[in-house]
């Protein structure tokens, strides 16, 4: 869930180069629709813009396979500290 910034294009290109599969999300998704869209394809890693982080935090306990979260741009540590995931990185 990234905005239309150059970072989106760089991220998408890098994901394609390593052979991973991208799942494009409507940035307006919240609640059950966001959970369904992330759980259906077994999403394990997510790049997310800090503006959409609150949408994800509301449903974090319902996400079965999401283990890695990469937040852009950098956010304060206290906003992402309590996520129950293996890896959370903000840059």
């Amino acid at each position: 869930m990234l905005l239309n910034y150059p970072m989106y294009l760089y991220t998408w290109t890098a994901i394609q180069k390593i052979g991973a599969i991208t799942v494009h999300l409507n940035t307006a998704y919240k609640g059950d629709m966001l959970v369904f869209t992330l759980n259906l394809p077994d999403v394990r890693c997510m790049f997310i813009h800090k503006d959409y982080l609150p949408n994800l935090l509301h449903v974090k306990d319902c996400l079965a396979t999401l283990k890695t979260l990469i937040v852009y741009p950098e956010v304060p540590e206290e906003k992402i500290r309590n996520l129950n995931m293996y890896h959370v990185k903000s840059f």
Side-chain angles (χ1 to χ4, degrees), residues 44-46 66-70 80 83-89:
R44 295 185 189 128
C45 177
M46 182 176 187
L66 184 62
K67 300 296 180 202
T68 303
L69 186 65
I70 302 168
I80 56 176
L83 291 172
N84 295 328
M85 296 180 194
Y86 294 123
H87 308 286
V88 179
K89 177 68 177 159

Side-chain angles (χ1 to χ4, degrees), residues 48-58 60 69 71 73-85 88-90:
I48 188 168
H49 190 275
K50 69 175 184 172
D51 292 349
Y52 303 117
L53 197 53
N55 296 353
L56 188 69
L57 293 176
H58 283 99
K60 67 178 177 132
L69 186 65
V71 183
E74 190 169 0
V75 296
E77 181 69 26
E78 62 270 3
K79 284 193 173 187
I80 56 176
R81 184 179 309 131
N82 294 327
L83 291 172
N84 295 328
M85 296 180 194
V88 179
K89 177 68 177 159
S90 179

Side-chain angles (χ1 to χ4, degrees), residues 3-56:
L3 297 173
N4 288 330
Y5 288 148
M7 181 56 73
Y8 172 80
L9 183 59
Y10 305 148
T11 302
W12 180 81
T13 302
I15 291 169
Q16 298 305 310
K17 281 201 155 268
I18 65 170
I21 297 170
T22 57
V23 177
H24 299 277
L25 299 175
N26 183 332
T27 56
Y29 286 172
K30 296 177 182 176
D32 291 339
M33 183 57 79
L34 182 60
V35 170
F36 176 78
T37 308
L38 291 173
N39 282 339
L40 183 66
D42 294 332
V43 171
R44 295 185 189 128
C45 177
M46 182 176 187
F47 291 84
I48 188 168
H49 190 275
K50 69 175 184 172
D51 292 349
Y52 303 117
L53 197 53
N55 296 353
L56 188 69

